[in-house]
Amino acid sequence: MSVTTTTHLNFRGTAREALDFYQSVFGGRTVAVTYKDAGAVQNESEADWVMWGEVAGDNGFHVMAYDVPSHLPWNQGENPFFVSVRGDDAEDISALWGKLAEGSTIVRPLEPAQWAPLYGMLTDRFGVTWVLDVTAPYNG
């Protein structure tokens, strides 16, 4: 299995603008899935916010981003990014999760999600928030 790490940037309503800016700087392609696209709207004023987005270029540049919904805590100075670890093998991702989870605070358990076979989030004992997931094709 191959594993990649990607910086996952967190915003509050400006993720699409940030992704477009980074794409203009680094090139590549932008993908943005809104809360409305995913059927996950909890606040109508946030329906067009980015639930998951990325800029990926042939030059190796890759950044992910989303808009933290208002029902979740967000402080730009405290949690402006996550480290995203993605792989295609559930057993391997689960093994990595088990090791990272030691001494960590589980934000969301590693389990199936609407958008991925497995998805979980934790903050390790050093204060770094990690998102681990098993990749799934996006059919948008």
Side-chain angles (χ1 to χ4, degrees):
M1 174 184 95
S2 67
V3 172
T4 60
T5 59
T6 303
T7 303
H8 188 294
L9 306 171
N10 303 328
F11 299 94
R12 174 83 31 97
T14 58
R16 183 178 302 274
E17 181 182 352
L19 288 168
D20 289 345
F21 172 71
Y22 299 137
Q23 190 277 331
S24 77
V25 171
F26 296 100
R29 65 172 175 77
T30 302
V31 176
V33 177
T34 66
Y35 287 94
K36 181 172 47 183
D37 294 337
V41 175
Q42 293 190 17
N43 180 333
E44 281 301 319
S45 68
E46 300 169 2
D48 292 324
W49 283 12
V50 175
M51 182 174 155
W52 179 85
E54 72 174 358
V55 174
D58 293 337
N59 60 2
F61 178 80
H62 189 204
V63 67
M64 295 168 60
Y66 96 119
D67 287 310
V68 180
S70 59
H71 70 274
L72 295 176
W74 180 77
N75 179 319
Q76 187 174 15
E78 292 178 19
N79 57 351
F81 71 92
F82 301 144
V83 178
S84 172
V85 178
R86 308 188 89 199
D88 56 9
D89 185 278
E91 188 174 311
D92 290 338
I93 291 296
S94 295
L96 293 171
W97 175 270
K99 293 175 185 176
L100 273 174
E102 292 179 25
S104 294
T105 300
I106 305 301
V107 177
R108 180 179 172 137
L110 185 67
E111 59 190 11
Q114 177 184 358
W115 58 88
L118 282 179
Y119 173 89
M121 180 186 298
L122 58 80
T123 301
D124 71 18
R125 63 183 179 262
F126 304 105
V128 176
T129 300
W130 296 80
V131 175
L132 278 73
D133 68 330
V134 174
T135 57
Y138 173 68
N139 300 317

